[in-house]
Amino acid sequence: MIHRVRMLFTKKWDMFNITTFYKSDFHREETARLLKRLGQSTDITKDVYYGTFAYIVGATYKVSQIWDTVDEDGIDLERLLETIDPYSVSEKIMIRFALQCFNSRLDDISISDVMRHLDDENTKVIKQAIDIRY
């Protein structure tokens, strides 16, 4: 039997006194790594468009796989969509929602389509991203 350890990592948003939920240290690290790749501050609240994109993608633990589809010039949408094609339904939906948070013209996935496919931790991530973005 495999036992999972659930961890809650938080960070205070200074001006709003809001706590950021991270699924794990790795989620936090992947978010920061992706933000650096995009040429952004590692503070997800500095730029909520890049911040929510990186935060959600970081939660999928797929930053290494999508690494070549993003850089300081932005996101190569066509390559990213090709890269995520073999991913699980929940991973694809989360990344599509991350794109929508980054730029609402990039995708039009509904929140009900997003939430229907997620486990509890990823549901918390999406709710947190909505709080950050909007």
Side-chain angles (χ1 to χ4, degrees), residues 19-107:
T19 303
T20 302
F21 167 79
Y22 286 92
K23 293 172 20 173
S24 65
D25 277 334
F26 190 61
H27 176 198
R28 182 190 307 269
E29 292 162 8
E30 289 289 88
T31 300
R33 192 165 76 105
L34 185 54
L35 282 168
K36 287 179 187 175
R37 173 76 171 171
L38 291 163
Q40 301 296 309
S41 163
T42 58
D43 180 350
I44 61 175
T45 63
K46 289 281 186 191
D47 183 313
V48 296
Y49 305 102
Y50 282 100
T52 53
F53 176 78
Y55 175 75
I56 296 169
V57 174
T60 67
Y61 304 141
K62 297 288 188 180
V63 171
S64 293
Q65 289 89 336
I66 64 120
W67 191 257
D68 292 334
T69 70
V70 299
D71 59 28
E72 289 184 9
D73 294 327
I75 301 166
D76 183 334
L77 183 59
E78 187 175 314
R79 283 185 67 202
L80 178 61
L81 293 175
E82 287 174 14
T83 301
I84 70 170
D85 189 53
Y87 292 2
S88 72
V89 171
S90 61
E91 291 165 339
K92 281 193 268 195
I93 283 176
M94 287 180 70
I95 293 172
R96 286 183 56 205
F97 188 70
L99 285 168
Q100 185 168 314
C101 287
F102 179 72
N103 181 334
S104 61
R105 295 180 185 165
L106 296 180
D107 208 318

